[in-house]
Amino acid sequence: MWSTRACMDLASGNTDVSSQPYPQPKNKPHSGALSSRAGRGYRLNTNRCWKCGEAPEAGKSLHKCARCYMVQYCSKQCQVLDWRSNHKKFCAHSRAERERAIADSEAFDPGNGRRNRQIVKKAEELWYDDHMYCHLQAEFLAWKHRADYPVIKVTTDSLSVDSAVEVVMVPRSQWAEVNNSTPDQIMTFRSFFERSDFDELFAYVVVITVSGVAGSSVYMWPLCALTVQIRHSALVNVTSEEYARESLRRVKHPREAHLHRLTGLIGSEAHLNGQECVLGDEDPNKPDGWYMVTLEGGEEISMWYQRLKEVVRPQLFNFE
């Protein structure tokens, strides 16, 4: 799980995130499936009532909708109220989407489709929480386009922490139209955005698709505190990939570190091309123009200055 740790690490250990100006929630009656500190780096809390947002009493459990199994309630009263105000519009579509995913999974492994789909969903949640490069891109796009109520679509070739990912933003204009031909998954997106506790200042909707795995999963996910501190100039001039790369650099190196990228190396050193390093002092044992640099793995080597290309590090946050 990266959310809490990385939010602090990205501030290079010098920023008290809780002291930074933070957007205030809209006039929402409850916090729903988001934890009480949602948006400050805490994971989604799924053990809460879909209507009132309360956790179950000690020794009791929440009850899922018997039709779609996609929502859960603490009481019959909450279920009835939500059915009348919201869930009635989406239940059939949520059920169809779930059954389609189970059927696809069943085709891969007859007799185990339902169980396998549950296992995959849990694995997807853990993977998304751990894959920092993917997660950072998604949060950047969600915050940048929050006025459009976007769906962030994540496609990955596997559930490994170093898997290749594609992260794209689907604006409201592409999913908001409702008609008889609207796919069930689109209606599932709408069910999240129309929840009484949804607030684009604190959460976003993400759909995860794993290549070769049947079905996709939709989640409402909390925003990290640092995401909402991204400065306007970065939102305009920095891509989601650049934001993710610079954020990951800060986990390893403070903002003040002078980073360079190795280039033009041949022979036995060619494998170092493209690797980033921290520039140190001049090498006293070699002629002028040779510097000691620290590689990503911590190894120190001597390098000629013409093989070093400075990495331009953008300012990302309002407090910088």
Side-chain angles (χ1 to χ4, degrees):
M1 167 176 162
W2 79 271
S3 303
T4 303
R5 171 178 58 80
C7 275
M8 302 305 174
D9 287 345
L10 295 183
S12 302
N14 299 319
T15 301
D16 179 4
V17 175
S18 62
S19 69
Q20 299 302 324
Y22 196 72
Q24 296 301 307
K26 297 177 180 177
N27 185 23
K28 301 291 183 177
H30 54 80
S31 60
L34 294 181
S35 70
S36 60
R37 294 186 66 186
R40 295 183 180 269
Y42 281 71
R43 280 195 62 188
L44 192 67
N45 187 343
T46 57
N47 192 36
R48 289 182 180 270
C49 177
W50 188 269
K51 180 60 179 176
C52 71
E54 296 298 324
E57 297 179 7
K60 295 185 178 181
S61 58
L62 299 176
H63 302 283
K64 291 183 179 294
C65 171
R67 293 181 176 89
C68 69
Y69 290 91
M70 297 289 285
V71 296
Q72 54 192 5
Y73 303 98
C74 64
S75 65
K76 185 69 174 179
Q77 180 183 12
C78 277
Q79 184 174 8
V80 171
L81 290 174
D82 193 49
W83 176 260
R84 292 172 179 172
S85 64
N86 187 63
H87 190 53
K88 183 178 181 178
K89 296 181 291 184
F90 304 107
C91 184
H93 296 282
S94 296
R95 179 178 182 178
E97 175 66 18
R98 178 175 180 270
E99 291 301 324
R100 183 179 295 109
I102 291 175
D104 290 343
S105 183
E106 186 74 15
F108 278 91
D109 187 7
N112 297 303
R114 194 174 301 274
R115 180 178 65 87
N116 289 346
R117 187 61 196 151
Q118 292 174 344
I119 293 173
V120 168
K121 279 184 66 68
K122 183 62 177 178
E124 286 174 346
E125 287 186 41
L126 295 174
W127 170 83
Y128 187 62
D129 213 32
D130 286 336
H131 200 300
M132 294 178 65
Y133 183 67
C134 171
H135 208 136
L136 289 163
Q137 287 188 67
E139 293 209 348
F140 180 88
L141 291 173
W143 184 248
K144 178 177 181 177
H145 299 282
R146 61 191 181 279
D148 296 325
Y149 288 86
V151 168
I152 306 301
K153 301 192 74 172
V154 173
T155 304
T156 176
D157 58 3
S158 72
L159 293 180
S160 63
V161 294
D162 58 351
S163 60
V165 297
E166 180 184 36
V167 183
V168 297
M169 185 277 298
V170 181
R172 181 172 185 163
S173 59
Q174 294 184 24
W175 61 257
E177 293 298 325
V178 177
N179 52 57
N180 293 332
S181 63
T182 301
D184 293 314
Q185 188 180 71
I186 302 300
M187 293 299 290
T188 302
F189 297 161
R190 289 180 58 85
S191 71
F192 280 94
F193 284 106
E194 293 191 17
R195 285 177 56 163
S196 60
D197 64 328
F198 180 81
D199 191 332
E200 72 277 9
L201 298 181
F202 287 85
Y204 63 101
V205 175
V206 57
V207 56
I208 300 174
T209 303
V210 184
S211 301
V213 176
S216 300
S217 301
V218 184
Y219 304 94
M220 183 170 75
W221 212 269
L223 287 165
C224 169
L226 287 180
T227 302
V228 304
Q229 291 294 332
I230 299 174
R231 60 173 56 210
H232 178 72
S233 60
L235 292 174
V236 173
N237 300 314
V238 176
T239 67
S240 60
E241 294 87 351
E242 290 170 341
Y243 170 78
R245 284 194 293 267
E246 174 59 23
S247 296
L248 290 176
R249 288 188 190 108
R250 297 182 183 204
V251 175
K252 299 179 181 179
H253 310 294
R255 295 191 297 273
E256 298 77 17
H258 297 290
L259 297 184
H260 288 69
R261 185 174 292 108
L262 298 176
T263 182
L265 298 171
I266 60 175
S268 61
E269 294 182 326
H271 67 284
L272 296 176
N273 283 322
Q275 186 172 150
E276 293 181 358
C277 59
V278 179
L279 182 67
D281 297 328
E282 286 193 80
D283 187 347
N285 300 315
K286 289 193 173 183
D288 292 345
W290 285 81
Y291 291 84
M292 297 301 299
V293 298
T294 303
L295 303 179
E296 293 175 357
E299 179 185 1
E300 278 195 322
I301 63 173
S302 183
M303 186 60 57
W304 188 32
Y305 79 98
Q306 290 193 356
R307 297 292 177 258
L308 299 170
K309 182 178 181 180
E310 185 177 5
V311 175
V312 179
R313 305 186 67 181
Q315 290 186 320
L316 297 180
F317 304 109
N318 291 323
F319 51 80
E320 295 179 349

PDB file of all heavy atoms in Angstrom, residues 16 84 132 196 205 261 308:
ATOM      1  N   ASP A  16       4.465  19.166   6.348  1.00  0.00           N
ATOM      2  CA  ASP A  16       3.358  18.626   7.119  1.00  0.00           C
ATOM      3  C   ASP A  16       2.108  18.754   6.270  1.00  0.00           C
ATOM      4  O   ASP A  16       1.548  19.832   6.124  1.00  0.00           O
ATOM      5  CB  ASP A  16       3.187  19.407   8.419  1.00  0.00           C
ATOM      6  CG  ASP A  16       2.022  18.887   9.257  1.00  0.00           C
ATOM      7  OD1 ASP A  16       1.411  17.879   8.847  1.00  0.00           O
ATOM      8  OD2 ASP A  16       1.739  19.491  10.298  1.00  0.00           O
ATOM      9  N   ARG A  84     -35.102   4.184  -3.334  1.00  0.00           N
ATOM     10  CA  ARG A  84     -36.017   5.195  -3.842  1.00  0.00           C
ATOM     11  C   ARG A  84     -35.287   6.381  -4.458  1.00  0.00           C
ATOM     12  O   ARG A  84     -35.728   6.940  -5.464  1.00  0.00           O
ATOM     13  CB  ARG A  84     -36.919   5.686  -2.711  1.00  0.00           C
ATOM     14  CG  ARG A  84     -37.905   4.642  -2.206  1.00  0.00           C
ATOM     15  CD  ARG A  84     -38.628   5.136  -0.976  1.00  0.00           C
ATOM     16  NE  ARG A  84     -39.597   4.158  -0.482  1.00  0.00           N
ATOM     17  CZ  ARG A  84     -40.253   4.281   0.670  1.00  0.00           C
ATOM     18  NH1 ARG A  84     -40.025   5.342   1.452  1.00  0.00           N
ATOM     19  NH2 ARG A  84     -41.119   3.355   1.045  1.00  0.00           N
ATOM     20  N   MET A 132       2.639   2.653  -7.989  1.00  0.00           N
ATOM     21  CA  MET A 132       2.728   4.092  -7.791  1.00  0.00           C
ATOM     22  C   MET A 132       2.690   4.873  -9.105  1.00  0.00           C
ATOM     23  O   MET A 132       2.046   5.916  -9.204  1.00  0.00           O
ATOM     24  CB  MET A 132       3.990   4.435  -7.007  1.00  0.00           C
ATOM     25  CG  MET A 132       3.985   3.909  -5.586  1.00  0.00           C
ATOM     26  SD  MET A 132       5.525   4.290  -4.709  1.00  0.00           S
ATOM     27  CE  MET A 132       5.454   6.068  -4.639  1.00  0.00           C
ATOM     28  N   SER A 196     -24.866  10.378  -3.119  1.00  0.00           N
ATOM     29  CA  SER A 196     -24.988  11.616  -2.346  1.00  0.00           C
ATOM     30  C   SER A 196     -23.683  12.008  -1.674  1.00  0.00           C
ATOM     31  O   SER A 196     -23.480  13.167  -1.321  1.00  0.00           O
ATOM     32  CB  SER A 196     -26.087  11.463  -1.292  1.00  0.00           C
ATOM     33  OG  SER A 196     -25.773  10.391  -0.403  1.00  0.00           O
ATOM     34  N   VAL A 205     -13.420   8.289  -9.880  1.00  0.00           N
ATOM     35  CA  VAL A 205     -13.881   6.974 -10.319  1.00  0.00           C
ATOM     36  C   VAL A 205     -12.845   6.400 -11.272  1.00  0.00           C
ATOM     37  O   VAL A 205     -12.421   7.065 -12.221  1.00  0.00           O
ATOM     38  CB  VAL A 205     -15.255   7.066 -11.000  1.00  0.00           C
ATOM     39  CG1 VAL A 205     -15.675   5.702 -11.559  1.00  0.00           C
ATOM     40  CG2 VAL A 205     -16.299   7.573 -10.009  1.00  0.00           C
ATOM     41  N   ARG A 261      20.963  12.805 -16.428  1.00  0.00           N
ATOM     42  CA  ARG A 261      20.716  11.545 -17.134  1.00  0.00           C
ATOM     43  C   ARG A 261      21.958  11.192 -17.943  1.00  0.00           C
ATOM     44  O   ARG A 261      22.526  12.036 -18.643  1.00  0.00           O
ATOM     45  CB  ARG A 261      19.493  11.665 -18.036  1.00  0.00           C
ATOM     46  CG  ARG A 261      19.086  10.359 -18.714  1.00  0.00           C
ATOM     47  CD  ARG A 261      17.775  10.514 -19.482  1.00  0.00           C
ATOM     48  NE  ARG A 261      16.652  10.717 -18.566  1.00  0.00           N
ATOM     49  CZ  ARG A 261      16.019  11.866 -18.404  1.00  0.00           C
ATOM     50  NH1 ARG A 261      16.399  12.939 -19.086  1.00  0.00           N
ATOM     51  NH2 ARG A 261      15.013  11.972 -17.565  1.00  0.00           N
ATOM     52  N   LEU A 308      26.706  13.794 -19.275  1.00  0.00           N
ATOM     53  CA  LEU A 308      25.667  14.098 -18.296  1.00  0.00           C
ATOM     54  C   LEU A 308      24.713  15.147 -18.853  1.00  0.00           C
ATOM     55  O   LEU A 308      25.140  16.237 -19.243  1.00  0.00           O
ATOM     56  CB  LEU A 308      26.295  14.621 -16.998  1.00  0.00           C
ATOM     57  CG  LEU A 308      27.252  13.673 -16.278  1.00  0.00           C
ATOM     58  CD1 LEU A 308      27.969  14.399 -15.155  1.00  0.00           C
ATOM     59  CD2 LEU A 308      26.492  12.467 -15.734  1.00  0.00           C
TER      60      LEU A 308
END
